[in-house]
Amino acid sequence: MSLVMIGLEIHAQVTALKSKLFCSCRGNYRDFKPNTNICATCSGLPGTLPVINRKAIEYSAMISIALGCKVPNKVMFYRKNYFYPDLPKNFQITQYNVYGFSSIGVEGIFELDDLKKIRISRIQLEEDPGRIAYVDSGMNVTNSALIDYNRAGVALIEIVTEPEFTNPKEVRLFLNKLSLTLQHLGVCDTLLEGSVRCDANVSLKGGNKVEIKNINSFKEVEKAINYEITRQSSMYNRNIKVEFETRHWDDRKKITFKARSKEEEHDYRYFPEPDIPVIVLGDGFVSNIKDLMPELPLQRFNRFVSKYKLSEHTSNILINDKKLADFFESILKIHFSPVEIANFLITDFKSLIEDDVENIDYLTNMKVKPEHIGELVKMIEENKISRITAKDILIKIFDSGKLPSEIANSTNSFKISDEKILIDAVESVFNTEKSAVEDAQTNHEAINFLLGKVMKFTKGRADPKIAMRLINTRLNKAGT
Ligand code: ZN
Ligand code: MN
């Protein structure tokens, strides 16, 4: 038995849906004032009936297929009964595997890397509860709360893995790959605030399983698991038994703490949802969905390598940031020079936005557009500007949104390849750097020094190849 066993339960909102799972309220609840995106159905008034959102079935099937799950021919919904203020009906409509297959995805296998696969037990489609806003600070100290049902009824997928992760790094890798897959499918924007949540169960040395709830972003999952592994191993070292329990993650204090047990003792009394009939997907369903599916990260990677002749390393950097990969491909429509553009993006461009990676929307909000990068790289390729100048121009585009040629003109940044000008520059360097000129007759280092001086003299604009040739010619003349 391995030392550490970790399993995940991930909830992700199907953010691409226009409406909620069982009513026509908006799926994107984020811009609404509290309790204005609700109706009789999603606020659980008696006599209302749920109507299943067809797209939600399609999208969740798409997710299931992308994560290597089987999609059964028949899917069913169940009621999961519990009493909690965020749940207007006092039950959640969800899926449950009791009588064979009933949830939208089962028996999945997700490839983590060449060596490791993670089995996915099931993927189910369910409704999100409302949101409780605690008035005071932490959820364990407050004594009053507000409730907002705008989110209640939004479509969620729940992904449950087998406890097959053996360290937090594998978990991080999985969540990154999962995020990327969901983003490529275009159905879950995992970068949206509150769109993903994760529970993790952690056990050591075959001991009791501890469940960590309430991890509200993928980033925090690794920290929560690390904390829990440290806590449990220190208990083992002191011969204290690890209890089977539920703990919460406090993302401010960065610790897990024991949940009050009463709050967690559920008897969900699952039973089939009587208001939604069994849904028979039909024979062609899965193959139709497969036809509709957009390109997945691995396919995109293979295409980048074969069609654009990018290195695997470069392809990976681009694809691991879907928006950057999209940006890359839209530049290619303007100027098709994949290798140059990819290199420019992952070095010069990325180094400028690196500080700003927290700003997840940097590619939509910035003034730099595909036209800019296309023109800029073209100018480098045509030897009109140096790479260093290109980066300076890029900084100016970030600020002004002006075209590169316009900036290069107004700042006099074009490369100098006019020999007359360069001969003058070389002449003036030779006049001021007499000892280096003498050295250069025998020492190659000194020639580079002179080139550096010519570059400096021309404010970096001299075409280095021409300048070098002129320096050598001038040296030969001086030597004879
Ligand atoms: Zn509604
Ligand atoms: Mn759930």
Side-chain angles (χ1 to χ4, degrees), residues 92-136:
Q92 178 194 34
I93 302 180
T94 177
Q95 297 189 301
Y96 189 54
N97 289 327
V98 272
Y99 313 112
F101 293 169
S102 80
S103 58
I104 193 75
V106 292
E107 295 181 353
I109 295 175
F110 191 73
E111 204 167 289
L112 209 52
D113 53 38
D114 294 342
L115 297 171
K116 179 126 190 185
K117 292 182 173 73
I118 297 291
R119 282 181 298 153
I120 292 169
S121 335
R122 61 173 194 277
I123 296 180
Q124 57 195 39
L125 181 59
E126 60 188 34
E127 51 181 348
D128 210 350
R131 233 164 40 84
I132 301 176
Y134 291 92
V135 179
D136 218 337

Side-chain angles (χ1 to χ4, degrees), residues 183 306 404 433 437 470:
Q183 283 172 42
S306 63
E433 304 291 342
V437 172
L470 294 173

